[in-house]
């Protein structure tokens, strides 16, 4: 192990003392840290160049390419954290689920999971299934210096939605049909996915990730009572499985205004908020003892520089009383975003919040 490579949960001092990890731990920060969901990706010309001709899933399995793509937004924008370049369906592919990521569509599952017999296809994930992840994170932690690396995984509900629907879905009708129609099979499905997700996060932390984010992108489709009964136990299992490492755990979803309190209960250290709820109100819903992450509408970046600054100032004002704040968008960077608008936004947040 090199001097810069961190044993699980104990990053090197410069990383441990970074503004991003301090904000996650609700400690005083030199400036509000910034990173963007989907900061690596199609908004960057240098990304489009290195990805040329290489299918998405294959690119996730090439450690040198993953390292380069993960570093690109750190170099260009000066963000306070890197997010590992991968996808939420990578661990499912790694255990043999027949899926692909289709350009312009997203993950597509050849044979959706709909019956109890299908559950057997979801075997446990072992580190040997994803050696390319361990290798890439080893390369990255050496290259990143003091910049923290965020590992991530899909939350059980959002993964289940792709597996049951067979691909992206607007209404999640098959997923909900299973959840309401066969609660026991649903619980077993989410429990299996929680195990796979926890194992995938552990691999990333053991390899040197110094924070993790659980993406429950589509869980905002549920009412609170259904979330509490049918989803919260599985997400809590994931957070508990990695609690012992001491790395910050971030929990993110879209359209989750009514779920923020329950998402806090699931056990994360930081709760991500989309643009629909102001951060001061989100803090009341989440309750004490958590940092918040968010929450600029990604579409605002298509507006004028003045409009971006005004909306950003409103967010910083709403965040003034928080225990900890990580600035981010309310969802991922849209592919046609002007990358210079992102660089300017990082600078603006840093200068506005310098202490
Ligand atoms: O060819 C391409 O460039 C494909 C586009 C793409 C990219 C760049 C996909 C397909 N995945 C990714 C990378 C990715 N996926 C990252 C990279 C790290 C970074 O943030 O910079 C991350 C964090 C993800 C996670 C992910 N994948 C989520 C959760 C985040 C979110 O946006 O809500 C979800 C829902 C997915 C599924 C997925 N993968 C790809 C697409 C287009 C989608 C969404 C499809 C849909 O609308 O359902």
């Amino acid at each position: 192990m090199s001097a810069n490579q961190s044993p699980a949960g104990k990053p090197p001092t410069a990383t441990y003392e970074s503004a991003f990890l301090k904000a996650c731990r609700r400690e005083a920060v030199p400036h509000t840290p910034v990173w963007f969901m989907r900061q690596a990706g199609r908004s960057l010309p240098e990304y489009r160049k290195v990805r040329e001709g290489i299918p998405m899933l294959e690119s996730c399995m090439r450690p040198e390419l993953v390292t380069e793509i993960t570093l690109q937004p750190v170099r260009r924008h000066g963000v306070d954290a890197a997010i590992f370049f991968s996808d939420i369906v990578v661990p499912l592919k790694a255990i043999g689920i027949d899926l692909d990521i289709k350009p312009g569509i997203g993950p597509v599952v050849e044979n959706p999971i709909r019956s109890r017999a299908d559950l057997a296809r979801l075997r446990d994930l072992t580190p040997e299934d994803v050696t390319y992840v361990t290798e890439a994170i080893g390369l990255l932690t050496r290259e990143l210096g003091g910049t923290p690396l965020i590992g991530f995984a899909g939350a059980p509900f959002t993964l289940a939605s792709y597996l049951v629907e067979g691909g992206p879905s607007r209404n999640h009708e098959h997923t909900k049909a299973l959840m309401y129609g066969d609660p026991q099979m649903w619980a077993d499905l989410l429990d299996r996915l929680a195990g796979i997700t926890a194992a995938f996060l552990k691999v990333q932390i053991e390899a040197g990730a110094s924070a993790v984010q659980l993406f429950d992108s589509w869980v905002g489709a549920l009412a609170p009572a259904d979330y509490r009964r049918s989803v919260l136990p599985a997400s809590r299992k994931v957070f508990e499985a990695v609690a012992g490492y001491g790395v910050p755990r971030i929990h993110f979803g879209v359209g989750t205004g009514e779920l923020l309190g329950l998402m806090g209960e699931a056990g994360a250290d930081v709760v991500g908020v989309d643009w629909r709820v102001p951060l001061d109100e989100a803090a009341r819903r989440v309750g004490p003892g958590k940092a918040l992450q968010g929450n600029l509408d990604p579409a605002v970046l298509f507006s004028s520089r003045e409009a971006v600054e005004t909306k950003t100032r409103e967010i910083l004002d709403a965040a003034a009383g928080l225990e900890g704040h990580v600035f981010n968008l309310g969802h991922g960077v849209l592919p046609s975003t002007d990358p210079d608008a992102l660089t300017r936004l990082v600078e603006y947040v840093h200068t506005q919040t310098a202490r």
Side-chain angles (χ1 to χ4, degrees):
M1 188 176 291
S2 82
N4 216 7
Q5 197 175 342
S6 50
K10 294 197 181 59
T13 309
T15 310
Y16 188 81
E17 295 296 333
S18 66
F20 168 73
L21 290 179
K22 280 180 181 241
C24 291
R25 297 193 300 262
R26 294 173 282 121
E27 296 169 8
V29 286
H31 60 262
T32 297
V34 188
W35 71 278
F36 303 119
M37 291 180 275
R38 299 285 182 101
Q39 63 190 15
R42 281 175 296 170
S43 67
L44 300 184
E46 59 269 37
Y47 168 82
R48 296 195 295 269
K49 184 152 184 277
V50 295
R51 273 288 318 280
E52 232 164 75
I54 308 171
M56 177 64 196
L57 275 174
E58 194 191 321
S59 63
C60 295
M61 295 170 192
R62 295 196 190 180
E64 276 87 14
L65 185 58
V66 167
T67 303
E68 167 58 23
I69 293 175
T70 302
L71 292 172
Q72 284 176 347
V74 179
R75 287 189 205 115
R76 183 191 264 262
H77 303 309
V79 282
D80 293 274
I83 177 152
F84 185 60
F85 184 78
S86 184
D87 193 83
I88 58 168
V89 298
V90 163
L92 301 178
K93 182 77 181 174
I95 59 165
I97 298 292
D98 189 5
L99 66 83
D100 197 6
I101 296 181
K102 300 237 160 90
I105 300 174
V108 175
V109 181
E110 184 91 354
N111 298 296
I113 297 216
R114 302 259 170 98
S115 71
R116 185 157 278 284
D118 294 330
L119 283 185
R121 285 154 53 202
L122 289 170
R123 68 162 173 85
D124 291 342
L125 178 93
T126 68
E128 291 69 40
D129 294 317
V130 285
T131 50
Y132 46 86
V133 170
T134 301
E135 196 185 324
I137 293 182
L139 294 172
L140 269 166
T141 46
R142 281 188 283 278
E143 295 279 337
L144 277 165
T147 304
L149 177 69
I150 304 169
F152 75 90
F157 176 83
T158 290
L159 290 179
S161 137
Y162 286 106
L163 287 170
V164 176
E165 302 294 336
S169 164
R170 181 184 286 267
N171 298 316
H172 308 282
E173 55 266 53
H174 296 290
T175 312
K176 289 182 178 181
L178 179 62
M179 189 176 93
Y180 295 123
D182 192 344
Q184 192 54 54
M185 180 189 156
W186 172 260
D188 292 347
L189 169 62
L190 259 67
D191 191 65
R192 266 179 201 245
L193 291 171
I196 292 164
T197 288
F200 191 54
L201 291 177
K202 282 181 186 176
V203 167
Q204 296 174 69
I205 298 168
E206 302 261 355
S210 44
V212 288
Q213 176 156 321
L214 193 66
F215 281 97
D216 212 349
S217 302
W218 313 136
V219 80
L222 296 182
D226 293 323
Y227 181 86
R228 180 188 287 285
R229 189 183 314 118
S230 307
V231 174
L232 194 147
S235 292
R236 179 181 280 146
K237 177 174 163 170
V238 176
F239 287 121
E240 279 174 2
V242 295
Y245 291 105
V247 306
R249 300 158 298 163
I250 310 170
H251 195 179
F252 169 78
V254 183
T256 52
E258 300 301 327
L259 303 179
L260 287 171
L262 292 169
M263 287 174 71
E265 281 181 39
D269 306 292
V270 184
V271 176
V273 182
D274 79 6
W275 60 90
R276 294 171 180 90
V277 182
L279 289 178
D280 47 355
E281 171 58 19
R284 280 189 284 278
R285 296 184 188 187
V286 169
K290 312 266 179 203
L292 297 187
Q293 177 172 279
N295 66 343
L296 184 71
D297 183 342
V300 169
L301 289 161
F302 291 78
S303 189
S304 66
R305 180 182 188 143
E306 291 68 34
V308 173
E309 292 186 355
T310 302
K311 294 303 274 180
T312 302
R313 192 61 256 173
E314 285 171 16
I315 289 164
L316 296 175
D317 290 344
L322 300 187
E323 296 180 51
H325 177 216
V326 175
F327 190 92
N328 204 317
L329 304 180
H331 197 185
V333 173
L334 296 166
S336 54
T337 304
D338 173 7
D340 292 340
L342 291 168
T343 309
R344 283 198 299 267
L345 177 54
V346 175
E347 273 169 27
Y348 183 75
V349 173
H350 283 171
T351 53
Q352 289 286 308
T353 59
R355 309 190 226 279

